[in-house]
Amino acid sequence: MKISHRIAASRPLATTAMHGRVEAFRNEGMGIIDFSIAISHFPPPAPVLDAVTAAVQEERTMPYTGVAGALDVRRSLCTKLQRENGIDAKAGEIIVTNGAKQALYEALYAMTDPGDSVLIFKPHWPAYVTTCQLLGLTPVLVDLPDQVTPATLGACPRADLVIINNPHNPTGKVYTKQELEAIRDWVEANGSQVIVDESYEHLSFGPAHTSFATLCDWRALGVVTIFSASQSYAMMGWRLGFALAPLEIAEAMQTLQGPITAAASHLAQVATVAAFDCGPQQHMIDEYRERRDTVLRHVREVPWIEMKCPDSGPYLWGDVRALTHDTEAFAEALLAEEGVAIMPGDALGVPGFIRIGYICDDTWTLMEGVRRLVAFGDRMAARR
Ligand code: PLP
């Protein structure tokens, strides 16, 4: 049987692969605690449920919309961009997608040719590298500095395209305005196009989030900004996202999306309008902060793990190099011995670290998972 070289040369996305394994174990009746991705335990905001319920109860017709999404949907997203991000956009520059992943794939496809280089700071969201592999691109992985400066950027190789993830998964870094300005000057000087993933824009625990597009001429520079309802509104399975792109790129993305899915589901577009109208969900952010701090207190005295307090996001990023650099083996053994799934740093470009998604399930389950993780690491440390 023939499988294309492109697919054969790629690997399944590590996060969805691990989550799939967890699901399979659970289907067999095994009680796995899943920290491998971040699936919020909150329901979607009530206005989303109301809007979708009303559309169904009123038996609204739901035709195919234009590939980029219905005009009123894209107009409402322009209003969101103006209100929350300070970006002036036109409806033609918006494309509604089945989640940020689809927006990322389409933007990368539309902006590059096979062999082009894509600079990605590591640790990184696994989908950036996997998508590059699928498209025959050359990912160039560079350590994310604690502070991005003209000097740290000057030391990076030039790339045809740069991916910025702000706020950042998994470290929780929220880029400052000065850092983004330094990135702008650097990409301008290098003639690199940019994809900015702002999917976690609402999950900051304090620092203000700045949209890169407000600091540059994003149309001239070739900047695509990606948004998602998954984390901001606890709507992972709804698959709602959109991209803001210069017209030429937005149209190229439509050329790709048309034959694959045409538009996103019309019902999902109804939800998109309602979701992106909701603004930051403060009750979620407050609860995530409490969970974050509870876990950090618990591991503070554990000698083999070091965790910085993240400024944003649903992840804790732990340095376990005092114990092992082989975090893939660590994750496998933790799953087998304790029934706890985590993401090994290897999948995010940095072995010796682990990523813990801490927003799933109830707090008891969270802390039970942390207790099992610590017990496992303590046993490993005692054997050394
Ligand atoms: N971007 C990053 C960096 C992520 O970690 C995630 C995962 O939640 C997303 C985007 C959301 O992707 P999607 O909208 O496809 O669920």
Side-chain angles (χ1 to χ4, degrees), residues 99-101 125 128 165 169 197 199-200 228 230-231 239-240 315:
K101 286 186 190 71
W125 186 38
Y128 300 136
N165 179 204
N169 167 7
D197 180 349
S199 295
Y200 291 89
S228 166
S230 293
Q231 295 293 345
R239 315 306 304 125
L240 311 182
Y315 302 109

PDB file of all heavy atoms in Angstrom, residues 99-101 125 128 165 169 197 199-200 228 230-231 239-240 315, ligand 1:
ATOM      1  N   GLY A  99     -10.692  25.795  14.248  1.00  0.00           N
ATOM      2  CA  GLY A  99      -9.637  25.875  15.254  1.00  0.00           C
ATOM      3  C   GLY A  99      -8.389  26.549  14.717  1.00  0.00           C
ATOM      4  O   GLY A  99      -8.227  26.765  13.501  1.00  0.00           O
ATOM      5  N   ALA A 100      -7.493  26.901  15.664  1.00  0.00           N
ATOM      6  CA  ALA A 100      -6.246  27.570  15.294  1.00  0.00           C
ATOM      7  C   ALA A 100      -5.347  26.643  14.474  1.00  0.00           C
ATOM      8  O   ALA A 100      -4.565  27.098  13.643  1.00  0.00           O
ATOM      9  CB  ALA A 100      -5.515  28.030  16.553  1.00  0.00           C
ATOM     10  N   LYS A 101      -5.462  25.338  14.708  1.00  0.00           N
ATOM     11  CA  LYS A 101      -4.591  24.403  13.979  1.00  0.00           C
ATOM     12  C   LYS A 101      -4.802  24.524  12.479  1.00  0.00           C
ATOM     13  O   LYS A 101      -3.859  24.526  11.695  1.00  0.00           O
ATOM     14  CB  LYS A 101      -4.855  22.960  14.421  1.00  0.00           C
ATOM     15  CG  LYS A 101      -4.306  22.641  15.793  1.00  0.00           C
ATOM     16  CD  LYS A 101      -4.462  21.169  16.132  1.00  0.00           C
ATOM     17  CE  LYS A 101      -4.124  20.931  17.580  1.00  0.00           C
ATOM     18  NZ  LYS A 101      -5.129  21.471  18.512  1.00  0.00           N
ATOM     19  N   TRP A 125       5.033  24.789  20.947  1.00  0.00           N
ATOM     20  CA  TRP A 125       3.818  23.979  20.748  1.00  0.00           C
ATOM     21  C   TRP A 125       4.149  22.943  19.664  1.00  0.00           C
ATOM     22  O   TRP A 125       4.619  23.318  18.574  1.00  0.00           O
ATOM     23  CB  TRP A 125       2.687  24.891  20.305  1.00  0.00           C
ATOM     24  CG  TRP A 125       1.341  24.249  20.204  1.00  0.00           C
ATOM     25  CD1 TRP A 125       0.807  23.303  21.030  1.00  0.00           C
ATOM     26  CD2 TRP A 125       0.336  24.536  19.223  1.00  0.00           C
ATOM     27  NE1 TRP A 125      -0.465  22.989  20.636  1.00  0.00           N
ATOM     28  CE2 TRP A 125      -0.781  23.733  19.517  1.00  0.00           C
ATOM     29  CE3 TRP A 125       0.269  25.406  18.130  1.00  0.00           C
ATOM     30  CZ2 TRP A 125      -1.944  23.764  18.761  1.00  0.00           C
ATOM     31  CZ3 TRP A 125      -0.892  25.442  17.381  1.00  0.00           C
ATOM     32  CH2 TRP A 125      -1.989  24.616  17.699  1.00  0.00           C
ATOM     33  N   TYR A 128       3.574  23.322  15.650  1.00  0.00           N
ATOM     34  CA  TYR A 128       4.355  24.149  14.712  1.00  0.00           C
ATOM     35  C   TYR A 128       5.316  23.278  13.898  1.00  0.00           C
ATOM     36  O   TYR A 128       5.414  23.405  12.680  1.00  0.00           O
ATOM     37  CB  TYR A 128       5.155  25.227  15.466  1.00  0.00           C
ATOM     38  CG  TYR A 128       4.302  26.186  16.271  1.00  0.00           C
ATOM     39  CD1 TYR A 128       4.676  26.546  17.558  1.00  0.00           C
ATOM     40  CD2 TYR A 128       3.143  26.729  15.745  1.00  0.00           C
ATOM     41  CE1 TYR A 128       3.907  27.421  18.310  1.00  0.00           C
ATOM     42  CE2 TYR A 128       2.364  27.593  16.483  1.00  0.00           C
ATOM     43  CZ  TYR A 128       2.746  27.940  17.767  1.00  0.00           C
ATOM     44  OH  TYR A 128       1.984  28.795  18.512  1.00  0.00           O
ATOM     45  N   ASN A 165       4.625  32.809  19.377  1.00  0.00           N
ATOM     46  CA  ASN A 165       3.468  32.342  20.152  1.00  0.00           C
ATOM     47  C   ASN A 165       3.374  33.208  21.405  1.00  0.00           C
ATOM     48  O   ASN A 165       4.201  33.105  22.290  1.00  0.00           O
ATOM     49  CB  ASN A 165       3.687  30.861  20.507  1.00  0.00           C
ATOM     50  CG  ASN A 165       2.565  30.264  21.329  1.00  0.00           C
ATOM     51  OD1 ASN A 165       2.770  29.288  22.034  1.00  0.00           O
ATOM     52  ND2 ASN A 165       1.374  30.834  21.254  1.00  0.00           N
ATOM     53  N   ASN A 169       3.007  28.981  24.930  1.00  0.00           N
ATOM     54  CA  ASN A 169       2.857  27.611  25.406  1.00  0.00           C
ATOM     55  C   ASN A 169       4.197  26.925  25.176  1.00  0.00           C
ATOM     56  O   ASN A 169       4.652  26.902  24.037  1.00  0.00           O
ATOM     57  CB  ASN A 169       1.747  26.921  24.597  1.00  0.00           C
ATOM     58  CG  ASN A 169       1.709  25.417  24.779  1.00  0.00           C
ATOM     59  OD1 ASN A 169       2.405  24.844  25.597  1.00  0.00           O
ATOM     60  ND2 ASN A 169       0.882  24.762  23.963  1.00  0.00           N
ATOM     61  N   ASP A 197       0.736  33.502  16.852  1.00  0.00           N
ATOM     62  CA  ASP A 197      -0.346  32.704  17.433  1.00  0.00           C
ATOM     63  C   ASP A 197      -0.735  33.340  18.770  1.00  0.00           C
ATOM     64  O   ASP A 197       0.025  33.286  19.729  1.00  0.00           O
ATOM     65  CB  ASP A 197       0.163  31.265  17.604  1.00  0.00           C
ATOM     66  CG  ASP A 197      -0.885  30.341  18.212  1.00  0.00           C
ATOM     67  OD1 ASP A 197      -1.928  30.829  18.688  1.00  0.00           O
ATOM     68  OD2 ASP A 197      -0.635  29.119  18.219  1.00  0.00           O
ATOM     69  N   SER A 199      -3.500  32.572  20.524  1.00  0.00           N
ATOM     70  CA  SER A 199      -4.605  31.751  21.018  1.00  0.00           C
ATOM     71  C   SER A 199      -4.825  31.880  22.523  1.00  0.00           C
ATOM     72  O   SER A 199      -5.913  31.615  23.017  1.00  0.00           O
ATOM     73  CB  SER A 199      -4.360  30.274  20.679  1.00  0.00           C
ATOM     74  OG  SER A 199      -4.382  30.100  19.292  1.00  0.00           O
ATOM     75  N   TYR A 200      -3.758  32.257  23.263  1.00  0.00           N
ATOM     76  CA  TYR A 200      -3.890  32.356  24.718  1.00  0.00           C
ATOM     77  C   TYR A 200      -4.041  33.811  25.166  1.00  0.00           C
ATOM     78  O   TYR A 200      -3.752  34.138  26.317  1.00  0.00           O
ATOM     79  CB  TYR A 200      -2.662  31.726  25.392  1.00  0.00           C
ATOM     80  CG  TYR A 200      -2.589  30.229  25.233  1.00  0.00           C
ATOM     81  CD1 TYR A 200      -1.957  29.661  24.138  1.00  0.00           C
ATOM     82  CD2 TYR A 200      -3.178  29.383  26.164  1.00  0.00           C
ATOM     83  CE1 TYR A 200      -1.903  28.287  23.977  1.00  0.00           C
ATOM     84  CE2 TYR A 200      -3.129  28.003  26.013  1.00  0.00           C
ATOM     85  CZ  TYR A 200      -2.495  27.469  24.915  1.00  0.00           C
ATOM     86  OH  TYR A 200      -2.441  26.095  24.757  1.00  0.00           O
ATOM     87  N   SER A 228      -8.013  31.639  18.688  1.00  0.00           N
ATOM     88  CA  SER A 228      -8.741  30.387  18.945  1.00  0.00           C
ATOM     89  C   SER A 228      -9.700  30.594  20.102  1.00  0.00           C
ATOM     90  O   SER A 228      -9.397  31.314  21.053  1.00  0.00           O
ATOM     91  CB  SER A 228      -7.728  29.294  19.309  1.00  0.00           C
ATOM     92  OG  SER A 228      -8.383  28.179  19.869  1.00  0.00           O
ATOM     93  N   SER A 230     -10.565  27.922  21.776  1.00  0.00           N
ATOM     94  CA  SER A 230     -10.340  26.724  22.597  1.00  0.00           C
ATOM     95  C   SER A 230      -9.981  27.065  24.032  1.00  0.00           C
ATOM     96  O   SER A 230     -10.610  26.583  24.973  1.00  0.00           O
ATOM     97  CB  SER A 230      -9.224  25.864  21.985  1.00  0.00           C
ATOM     98  OG  SER A 230      -9.638  25.325  20.766  1.00  0.00           O
ATOM     99  N   GLN A 231      -8.944  27.879  24.219  1.00  0.00           N
ATOM    100  CA  GLN A 231      -8.480  28.165  25.568  1.00  0.00           C
ATOM    101  C   GLN A 231      -9.172  29.395  26.163  1.00  0.00           C
ATOM    102  O   GLN A 231      -9.495  29.412  27.347  1.00  0.00           O
ATOM    103  CB  GLN A 231      -6.961  28.368  25.573  1.00  0.00           C
ATOM    104  CG  GLN A 231      -6.180  27.109  25.201  1.00  0.00           C
ATOM    105  CD  GLN A 231      -6.296  25.996  26.242  1.00  0.00           C
ATOM    106  OE1 GLN A 231      -6.711  26.219  27.363  1.00  0.00           O
ATOM    107  NE2 GLN A 231      -5.938  24.784  25.854  1.00  0.00           N
ATOM    108  N   ARG A 239     -13.930  23.527  18.078  1.00  0.00           N
ATOM    109  CA  ARG A 239     -13.074  23.785  16.929  1.00  0.00           C
ATOM    110  C   ARG A 239     -13.361  25.143  16.287  1.00  0.00           C
ATOM    111  O   ARG A 239     -13.774  25.236  15.136  1.00  0.00           O
ATOM    112  CB  ARG A 239     -13.188  22.649  15.875  1.00  0.00           C
ATOM    113  CG  ARG A 239     -13.145  21.242  16.417  1.00  0.00           C
ATOM    114  CD  ARG A 239     -11.920  20.968  17.288  1.00  0.00           C
ATOM    115  NE  ARG A 239     -10.690  21.245  16.612  1.00  0.00           N
ATOM    116  CZ  ARG A 239      -9.749  22.082  17.111  1.00  0.00           C
ATOM    117  NH1 ARG A 239      -9.900  22.682  18.273  1.00  0.00           N
ATOM    118  NH2 ARG A 239      -8.645  22.298  16.444  1.00  0.00           N
ATOM    119  N   LEU A 240     -13.190  26.189  17.078  1.00  0.00           N
ATOM    120  CA  LEU A 240     -13.431  27.549  16.595  1.00  0.00           C
ATOM    121  C   LEU A 240     -12.136  28.343  16.586  1.00  0.00           C
ATOM    122  O   LEU A 240     -11.470  28.455  17.618  1.00  0.00           O
ATOM    123  CB  LEU A 240     -14.417  28.311  17.489  1.00  0.00           C
ATOM    124  CG  LEU A 240     -15.734  27.658  17.876  1.00  0.00           C
ATOM    125  CD1 LEU A 240     -16.567  28.624  18.711  1.00  0.00           C
ATOM    126  CD2 LEU A 240     -16.509  27.247  16.648  1.00  0.00           C
ATOM    127  N   TYR A 315      -0.563  25.718  31.511  1.00  0.00           N
ATOM    128  CA  TYR A 315       0.512  24.722  31.660  1.00  0.00           C
ATOM    129  C   TYR A 315       1.519  25.120  32.724  1.00  0.00           C
ATOM    130  O   TYR A 315       1.794  26.307  32.928  1.00  0.00           O
ATOM    131  CB  TYR A 315       1.274  24.550  30.342  1.00  0.00           C
ATOM    132  CG  TYR A 315       0.410  24.130  29.193  1.00  0.00           C
ATOM    133  CD1 TYR A 315       0.122  25.021  28.166  1.00  0.00           C
ATOM    134  CD2 TYR A 315      -0.130  22.848  29.139  1.00  0.00           C
ATOM    135  CE1 TYR A 315      -0.685  24.649  27.110  1.00  0.00           C
ATOM    136  CE2 TYR A 315      -0.947  22.475  28.082  1.00  0.00           C
ATOM    137  CZ  TYR A 315      -1.223  23.375  27.076  1.00  0.00           C
ATOM    138  OH  TYR A 315      -2.021  23.009  26.030  1.00  0.00           O
TER     139      TYR A 315
HETATM  140  N1  PLP B   1      -2.088  27.550  19.759  1.00  0.00           N
HETATM  141  C1  PLP B   1      -1.415  26.997  20.783  1.00  0.00           C
HETATM  142  C2  PLP B   1      -0.041  27.465  21.076  1.00  0.00           C
HETATM  143  C3  PLP B   1      -2.005  26.000  21.562  1.00  0.00           C
HETATM  144  O1  PLP B   1      -1.326  25.450  22.565  1.00  0.00           O
HETATM  145  C4  PLP B   1      -3.323  25.612  21.299  1.00  0.00           C
HETATM  146  C5  PLP B   1      -3.939  24.536  22.101  1.00  0.00           C
HETATM  147  O2  PLP B   1      -4.820  24.716  22.850  1.00  0.00           O
HETATM  148  C6  PLP B   1      -4.003  26.260  20.275  1.00  0.00           C
HETATM  149  C7  PLP B   1      -3.360  27.192  19.500  1.00  0.00           C
HETATM  150  C8  PLP B   1      -5.457  25.979  20.029  1.00  0.00           C
HETATM  151  O3  PLP B   1      -5.611  25.255  18.889  1.00  0.00           O
HETATM  152  P1  PLP B   1      -7.096  24.908  18.399  1.00  0.00           P
HETATM  153  O4  PLP B   1      -7.830  26.196  18.208  1.00  0.00           O
HETATM  154  O5  PLP B   1      -6.863  24.180  17.124  1.00  0.00           O
HETATM  155  O6  PLP B   1      -7.743  24.072  19.451  1.00  0.00           O
END
